Amino acid sequence: MEINSKIEKAKKGDQIAFTFLLDFYWNEVYGFMLKRTENETTAEDITIETFSKAFDKIASYNPEFQFNTWLIAIAKNVYIDLLRKKKTNLFIEITDTEDQQAYNIADTTPSAEDALIKEQNLSRLLQCIKELKPHYQEVIQLRYFQEMTYQEIALKIDEPLSNVKVKLLRAKKLLAEIIERNR
């Protein structure tokens, strides 16, 4: 079967096989997450994270199970992690005294130090982005600085949606490696 040969090629690092698997299973994983999240952006982000994790761990894939079942299991785990993060951020106990102290703070604008730190972090991030190849820089810029959807990016750069998804997946992975290397 063609899928099994693509999985084997992907295990050996074949980028064309990765792209094929992403295209072939994208709608299934995305549709699964869209039903659960009821939010297109969240479903897209979870789906991208799912494929990123799957491709990182493809060597551990057990062919006794269906590949799509494995992907859905990863997607569920990514979603559960997301829910846990949201839950811990939402339910922080605040005492009346802390609440009053927060209310009494007159000036919530960032201090000069806060502004400088933010500016330096952004400057470092932009330096890291400049280390990427130009086509990766472009998709990062369009997605995260201009906040375009995947579809809008595909139209802007005149490439198929699947190419945009793969480019963003690779760009994020490479950017994370550059950031880690520059720490």
Side-chain angles (χ1 to χ4, degrees):
M1 182 178 196
E2 188 181 357
I3 295 293
N4 291 336
S5 70
K6 295 290 186 188
I7 293 167
E8 287 308 310
K9 286 180 179 178
K11 282 183 175 183
K12 294 174 184 163
D14 184 324
Q15 291 299 316
I16 294 168
F18 280 131
T19 302
F20 174 85
L21 293 170
L22 181 102
D23 288 344
F24 193 81
Y25 290 107
W26 177 271
N27 288 339
E28 186 174 352
V29 176
Y30 174 76
F32 177 83
M33 290 319 310
L34 187 58
K35 283 180 188 169
R36 272 137 195 87
T37 63
E38 297 178 353
N39 180 303
E40 290 179 9
T41 304
T42 303
E44 269 182 357
D45 289 345
I46 291 171
T47 304
I48 284 179
E49 182 75 17
T50 298
F51 280 99
S52 178
K53 286 181 185 257
F55 293 158
D56 283 345
K57 306 284 186 210
I58 198 156
S60 69
Y61 166 68
N62 182 346
E64 291 178 23
F65 301 100
Q66 293 291 324
F67 193 71
N68 60 339
T69 305
W70 184 64
L71 287 171
I72 294 296
I74 294 170
K76 284 180 184 176
N77 290 335
V78 170
Y79 184 48
I80 289 167
D81 289 346
L82 179 74
L83 290 175
R84 283 185 184 139
K85 284 179 188 171
K86 280 186 179 179
K87 193 174 187 179
T88 57
N89 291 341
L90 290 176
F91 299 106
I92 299 171
E93 290 287 328
I94 297 175
T95 65
D96 290 340
T97 309
E98 291 169 330
D99 189 42
Q100 190 59 44
Q101 286 173 338
Y103 184 77
N104 288 338
I105 295 174
D107 187 8
T108 58
T109 58
S111 68
E113 293 85 4
D114 291 337
L116 183 62
I117 290 168
K118 185 176 180 181
E119 194 175 301
Q120 286 175 342
N121 286 341
L122 181 59
S123 176
R124 270 194 232 128
L125 176 62
L126 292 173
Q127 282 304 115
C128 291
I129 290 171
K130 285 180 183 174
E131 291 184 37
L132 293 170
K133 290 182 179 175
H135 61 276
Y136 290 143
Q137 288 180 30
E138 181 181 29
V139 292
I140 290 282
Q141 199 269 337
L142 293 172
R143 178 70 176 153
Y144 298 104
F145 291 91
Q146 293 186 23
E147 298 181 352
M148 290 181 151
T149 65
Y150 295 100
Q151 191 63 50
E152 290 169 337
I153 295 169
L155 292 171
K156 172 96 174 162
I157 65 174
D158 194 30
E159 287 196 27
L161 185 60
S162 60
N163 286 15
V164 170
K165 293 171 187 171
V166 171
K167 272 188 184 176
L168 264 168
L169 188 68
R170 290 183 188 148
K172 283 173 55 178
K173 195 174 199 172
L174 291 169
L175 184 58
E177 290 170 7
I178 291 167
I179 290 168
E180 190 60 39
R181 191 175 61 236
N182 290 335
R183 278 192 175 174

Short mmCIF file of all heavy atoms in Angstrom, two decimals, residues 18 49-60 70 74 169 173 177:
data_model
loop_
_atom_site.label_atom_id
_atom_site.label_comp_id
_atom_site.label_asym_id
_atom_site.label_seq_id
_atom_site.Cartn_x
_atom_site.Cartn_y
_atom_site.Cartn_z
N PHE A 18 6.88 13.29 3.83
CA PHE A 18 6.26 14.09 4.90
C PHE A 18 5.12 14.94 4.34
O PHE A 18 4.03 14.99 4.89
CB PHE A 18 7.29 15.02 5.56
CG PHE A 18 8.18 14.37 6.56
CD1 PHE A 18 9.55 14.56 6.49
CD2 PHE A 18 7.68 13.59 7.59
CE1 PHE A 18 10.41 13.98 7.42
CE2 PHE A 18 8.53 13.02 8.54
CZ PHE A 18 9.88 13.20 8.44
N GLU A 49 0.68 21.48 15.31
CA GLU A 49 1.46 20.92 16.42
C GLU A 49 1.46 19.39 16.36
O GLU A 49 2.48 18.74 16.62
CB GLU A 49 0.88 21.42 17.74
CG GLU A 49 1.63 20.95 18.96
CD GLU A 49 2.95 21.66 19.18
OE1 GLU A 49 3.17 22.73 18.60
OE2 GLU A 49 3.77 21.12 19.94
N THR A 50 0.31 18.81 16.00
CA THR A 50 0.19 17.36 15.89
C THR A 50 1.16 16.82 14.85
O THR A 50 1.90 15.86 15.11
CB THR A 50 -1.26 16.97 15.52
OG1 THR A 50 -2.13 17.39 16.57
CG2 THR A 50 -1.40 15.47 15.31
N PHE A 51 1.15 17.42 13.65
CA PHE A 51 2.05 16.93 12.60
C PHE A 51 3.51 17.17 12.98
O PHE A 51 4.36 16.34 12.68
CB PHE A 51 1.70 17.57 11.25
CG PHE A 51 0.53 16.89 10.59
CD1 PHE A 51 -0.74 17.42 10.67
CD2 PHE A 51 0.70 15.69 9.90
CE1 PHE A 51 -1.82 16.80 10.08
CE2 PHE A 51 -0.37 15.05 9.31
CZ PHE A 51 -1.64 15.61 9.39
N SER A 52 3.79 18.27 13.62
CA SER A 52 5.15 18.55 14.06
C SER A 52 5.63 17.46 15.01
O SER A 52 6.72 16.90 14.85
CB SER A 52 5.20 19.91 14.73
OG SER A 52 6.49 20.18 15.20
N LYS A 53 4.80 17.13 16.01
CA LYS A 53 5.16 16.08 16.96
C LYS A 53 5.26 14.72 16.27
O LYS A 53 6.16 13.93 16.55
CB LYS A 53 4.15 16.02 18.10
CG LYS A 53 4.29 17.17 19.08
CD LYS A 53 3.29 17.07 20.22
CE LYS A 53 3.37 18.28 21.10
NZ LYS A 53 4.06 18.08 22.32
N ALA A 54 4.30 14.45 15.38
CA ALA A 54 4.30 13.16 14.67
C ALA A 54 5.58 13.00 13.84
O ALA A 54 6.20 11.93 13.86
CB ALA A 54 3.06 13.05 13.78
N PHE A 55 5.97 14.06 13.14
CA PHE A 55 7.16 13.95 12.30
C PHE A 55 8.43 13.86 13.14
O PHE A 55 9.39 13.22 12.75
CB PHE A 55 7.23 15.10 11.31
CG PHE A 55 6.13 15.04 10.26
CD1 PHE A 55 5.76 16.17 9.57
CD2 PHE A 55 5.46 13.85 9.97
CE1 PHE A 55 4.75 16.13 8.61
CE2 PHE A 55 4.45 13.80 9.02
CZ PHE A 55 4.10 14.94 8.33
N ASP A 56 8.43 14.50 14.31
CA ASP A 56 9.57 14.38 15.22
C ASP A 56 9.70 12.95 15.76
O ASP A 56 10.79 12.47 16.01
CB ASP A 56 9.44 15.34 16.40
CG ASP A 56 9.77 16.77 16.03
OD1 ASP A 56 10.36 16.99 14.94
OD2 ASP A 56 9.44 17.67 16.82
N LYS A 57 8.55 12.30 15.98
CA LYS A 57 8.53 10.98 16.62
C LYS A 57 8.17 9.85 15.66
O LYS A 57 7.79 8.76 16.08
CB LYS A 57 7.50 10.98 17.77
CG LYS A 57 7.68 12.08 18.78
CD LYS A 57 8.82 11.78 19.71
CE LYS A 57 8.88 12.83 20.80
NZ LYS A 57 10.19 13.08 21.29
N ILE A 58 8.25 10.11 14.35
CA ILE A 58 7.79 9.12 13.37
C ILE A 58 8.54 7.79 13.49
O ILE A 58 7.99 6.74 13.21
CB ILE A 58 7.83 9.66 11.93
CG1 ILE A 58 6.95 8.79 11.03
CG2 ILE A 58 9.25 9.81 11.43
CD1 ILE A 58 6.44 9.46 9.81
N ALA A 59 9.76 7.83 13.97
CA ALA A 59 10.53 6.58 14.14
C ALA A 59 9.87 5.66 15.15
O ALA A 59 10.02 4.45 15.09
CB ALA A 59 11.96 6.90 14.56
N SER A 60 9.09 6.24 16.09
CA SER A 60 8.44 5.42 17.12
C SER A 60 7.06 4.93 16.69
O SER A 60 6.41 4.19 17.43
CB SER A 60 8.30 6.22 18.42
OG SER A 60 7.37 7.27 18.25
N TRP A 70 -2.94 6.92 15.08
CA TRP A 70 -1.77 7.44 15.79
C TRP A 70 -1.79 8.97 15.79
O TRP A 70 -1.57 9.61 16.82
CB TRP A 70 -0.51 6.89 15.13
CG TRP A 70 0.79 7.23 15.79
CD1 TRP A 70 1.21 6.87 17.03
CD2 TRP A 70 1.85 8.01 15.23
NE1 TRP A 70 2.47 7.36 17.27
CE2 TRP A 70 2.89 8.07 16.17
CE3 TRP A 70 2.03 8.65 14.01
CZ2 TRP A 70 4.09 8.73 15.95
CZ3 TRP A 70 3.22 9.32 13.78
CH2 TRP A 70 4.24 9.36 14.75
N ILE A 74 -2.19 11.64 19.00
CA ILE A 74 -1.29 12.77 19.25
C ILE A 74 -2.10 14.06 19.35
O ILE A 74 -1.89 14.87 20.26
CB ILE A 74 -0.22 12.88 18.14
CG1 ILE A 74 0.72 11.67 18.19
CG2 ILE A 74 0.58 14.18 18.27
CD1 ILE A 74 1.66 11.56 16.99
N LEU A 169 5.32 24.92 9.14
CA LEU A 169 5.76 23.87 10.06
C LEU A 169 7.29 23.84 10.11
O LEU A 169 7.89 23.86 11.19
CB LEU A 169 5.21 22.52 9.57
CG LEU A 169 5.36 21.32 10.45
CD1 LEU A 169 4.50 21.45 11.69
CD2 LEU A 169 4.94 20.06 9.68
N LYS A 173 9.94 25.16 13.18
CA LYS A 173 10.91 24.20 13.71
C LYS A 173 12.33 24.76 13.60
O LYS A 173 13.11 24.73 14.56
CB LYS A 173 10.78 22.89 12.94
CG LYS A 173 11.44 21.72 13.57
CD LYS A 173 11.10 20.47 12.79
CE LYS A 173 11.34 19.27 13.63
NZ LYS A 173 10.85 18.06 13.00
N GLU A 177 15.04 26.05 16.58
CA GLU A 177 16.43 25.58 16.67
C GLU A 177 17.40 26.77 16.71
O GLU A 177 18.37 26.76 17.48
CB GLU A 177 16.76 24.68 15.48
CG GLU A 177 16.06 23.34 15.53
CD GLU A 177 16.19 22.53 14.24
OE1 GLU A 177 16.94 22.94 13.32
OE2 GLU A 177 15.52 21.49 14.14
#
